[in-house]
Amino acid sequence: MTTALDAFALPDIGAEIERAIQRNIKGLDFLTSATPTVGQTPKDEIHRRGTLSLYHYHPMVDEIYRVPVLIVMATTNRGYILDLAPGQSMVEHLLLQGYDVYMMDWNAPRPDEKRLRIEDYVLDFIPDSLRRVQERSGEEDVTLIGYCMGGVLSTLYAALHPGGPMKNLALFTTPIDFSHMKMFHAWSDKRYFDVDRLVDTVGNVPPEMLFASFDMLRPAGRSAGVVQLWDNMDNDEFVKSYRMFDRWGTEMLPLAGEYFRQTVKELMWGNKLHKGELMLGGRKVLLKNIKVPVLHALAQHDHIVPYEAGQPLIAGIGSADKEEVVLKGGHVSLAAGPNAVRRLWPKLDEWLGVRST
C-alpha cells in the first residue's frame, strides 16, 4: 500500500537516480574529451628569447588609448589565465575597452637558463620588452600590469627606473612583506629546507615540487574541488570553467634555479624588499623611489598572498597618486572568472582609462 509520503518520495528518488546516471555519462565525457582550448584572443609573438615570449594582441576597436599596456606574468604560470575564453578574458576586456595590450609570457626555462637571476628579469627582460613595445606602438609611455610575482618583478623594475618609460603601474596580489607568507615559510623553513642542495642538484626547480607546495597551502582543496565538480557534472558551463582553471593550475612551469634560490634567500628568508635591503645590479631597491600612479588590487580571501603580505606596498611607495583596493575573491578568482568580470576588470578600466591618454 502506497502512503501519501511515498507518493512524494518516489518521484524524488527517481529524479536522483536519473541525475546520477546523467552525471556518470557526463563524467565519462569529461575523462575522454580533449582539454579545453584557452588563450584564444588573436595575438602575434613579436619576440622570443629562451624562457620569454612577448605577445601583442590584435586591437578589437578602431580607437585605442595612446598609452599601451604591458602585462607581466608570474614566471611559474602561463599567461592564458588572463585569456581563458571569449567572455572570460581580461585581455579581451581590455582590448574591447580600447587598450593596446602586450604580454610578457613565459616558457619553461632551458637547462642553460638555470643561472637566470632576479636581475635578469628586472634589468634585462622587462626593459627589453618595454623597448619593443615602444617601437611597435610608436609611444614613449607604457603602463605595466603585474600579477602576483609578476607584480613583484614589475615593482622592482619601477623602483630601479624612476625615470621611465613606465607611466602607470597596476598590480594584482603582489607580496611585499614576505614574513606574512606563512604557509610558504612552513615548507621553506631554513632549518629543514636546503635550497642550495636542491638547486645545485636539479638546476631548474621542477613544477611537480612547486605544484605540491601549492597543494600544501590548502591540503583539502583539490579533493573539495573534485567533489564540487561531481555535484555539478550536469552543468556544462561549470564543467567547462572547472576544466580551464584546472588545466591552468596543473600546467605550472619550472623555475630557473638561481631565481628560485634568490627568491627563497633574499625575499622569503631575508624579507629584504620590505626592509629596504634588497640589492639588484649593485643598486638598492627602495619602494619610495616609485613615483608613477599605482593601483594595487588585493583579494579578501587570498590564501597564497594574504592581505598583510601585500598591504605595505601603497604605504611604502613615493607616488602621490596611489590606491589600494581590496576585492571579494581569492588569489585566482580576483583576476579571472565571473568574480573578476564584475569587480576587478571594471575597476582596472576605470582607473586606467583616465591615465592612458
Side-chain angles (χ1 to χ4, degrees):
M1 178 177 179
T2 303
T3 66
L5 180 61
D6 292 332
F8 285 103
L10 290 175
D12 290 342
I13 294 172
E16 282 301 310
I17 292 173
E18 178 61 25
R19 185 169 181 233
I21 293 171
Q22 290 303 315
R23 282 189 301 189
N24 276 280
I25 294 171
K26 292 283 188 178
L28 289 173
D29 289 340
F30 177 88
L31 293 172
T32 58
S33 60
T35 56
T37 303
V38 292
Q40 299 179 54
T41 304
K43 62 184 181 292
D44 298 317
E45 186 181 55
I46 62 174
H47 177 61
R48 182 167 183 147
R49 175 159 57 110
T51 187
L52 170 69
S53 285
L54 178 62
Y55 293 107
H56 181 210
Y57 291 87
H58 298 179
M60 289 187 168
V61 294
D62 293 333
E63 294 187 16
I64 61 174
Y65 285 103
R66 180 185 67 83
V67 180
V69 168
L70 174 60
I71 299 171
V72 184
M73 286 301 302
T75 54
T76 49
N77 297 110
R78 298 189 180 276
Y80 67 73
I81 187 62
L82 302 181
D83 184 29
L84 284 175
Q88 299 185 54
S89 165
M90 190 187 84
V91 168
E92 178 191 61
H93 177 81
L94 290 173
L95 291 168
L96 290 172
Q97 303 311 309
Y99 297 96
D100 190 15
V101 181
Y102 298 76
M103 180 184 287
M104 292 177 66
D105 201 4
W106 306 102
N107 313 296
R110 303 178 310 231
D112 63 301
E113 291 181 305
K114 66 183 180 181
R115 294 183 179 83
L116 288 175
R117 294 169 55 83
I118 293 175
E119 287 91 335
D120 293 295
Y121 293 90
V122 174
L123 302 178
D124 183 3
F125 285 128
I126 291 180
D128 182 49
S129 296
L130 282 168
R131 284 193 295 271
R132 294 175 188 277
V133 171
Q134 288 175 304
E135 293 170 1
R136 182 93 169 190
S137 67
E139 296 293 339
E140 182 68 22
D141 297 328
V142 181
T143 290
L144 275 187
I145 297 179
Y147 183 19
C148 189
M149 283 301 292
V152 173
L153 298 176
S154 301
T155 299
L156 299 179
Y157 171 84
L160 293 174
H161 298 83
M166 185 179 61
K167 188 176 190 296
N168 307 297
L169 178 61
L171 304 167
F172 312 149
T173 64
T174 296
I176 299 297
D177 185 351
F178 283 78
S179 70
H180 289 288
M181 305 280 279
K182 298 296 186 183
M183 294 302 293
F184 284 96
H185 277 285
W187 67 260
S188 66
D189 190 319
K190 60 179 161 183
R191 293 175 299 174
Y192 315 110
F193 183 54
D194 191 342
V195 66
D196 290 324
R197 182 180 180 185
L198 172 68
V199 172
D200 292 343
T201 301
V202 304
N204 294 326
V205 178
E208 291 80 9
M209 175 190 163
L210 301 171
F211 188 69
S213 69
F214 276 95
D215 266 359
M216 287 195 313
L217 297 178
R218 299 181 73 181
R222 183 156 293 274
S223 298
V226 171
V227 171
Q228 189 178 24
L229 171 64
W230 177 248
D231 285 342
N232 290 275
M233 190 61 75
D234 52 350
N235 182 335
D236 290 342
E237 285 303 312
F238 181 93
V239 172
K240 178 183 176 182
S241 179
Y242 178 93
R243 296 192 71 192
M244 289 189 295
F245 279 100
D246 186 63
R247 173 180 173 178
W248 179 77
T250 55
E251 286 187 350
M252 294 189 71
L253 298 168
L255 273 180
E258 291 303 323
Y259 173 88
F260 180 78
R261 190 200 315 260
Q262 203 176 3
T263 298
V264 170
K265 288 188 171 183
E266 302 284 297
L267 299 181
M268 194 69 66
W269 292 350
N271 204 17
K272 291 185 178 181
L273 174 58
H274 182 53
K275 294 177 180 178
E277 299 172 357
L278 182 65
M279 299 288 294
L280 293 179
R283 291 182 286 165
K284 185 173 286 189
V285 179
L286 298 174
L287 295 178
K288 67 180 182 181
N289 289 338
I290 300 175
K291 301 295 175 64
V292 299
V294 176
L295 172 70
H296 190 195
L298 293 161
Q300 283 182 351
H301 310 292
D302 194 334
H303 69 288
I304 294 177
V305 181
Y307 173 76
E308 293 78 10
Q311 184 271 336
L313 174 67
I314 292 299
I317 62 176
S319 308
D321 181 358
K322 55 186 179 179
E323 180 181 354
E324 175 188 278
V325 57
V326 182
L327 301 173
K328 184 178 180 180
H331 188 77
V332 178
S333 64
L334 175 82
N339 182 61
V341 174
R342 297 190 302 269
R343 296 185 176 93
L344 179 62
W345 300 356
K347 175 59 185 178
L348 177 61
D349 177 37
E350 173 194 338
W351 185 87
L352 199 55
V354 296
R355 295 169 177 83
S356 298
T357 56

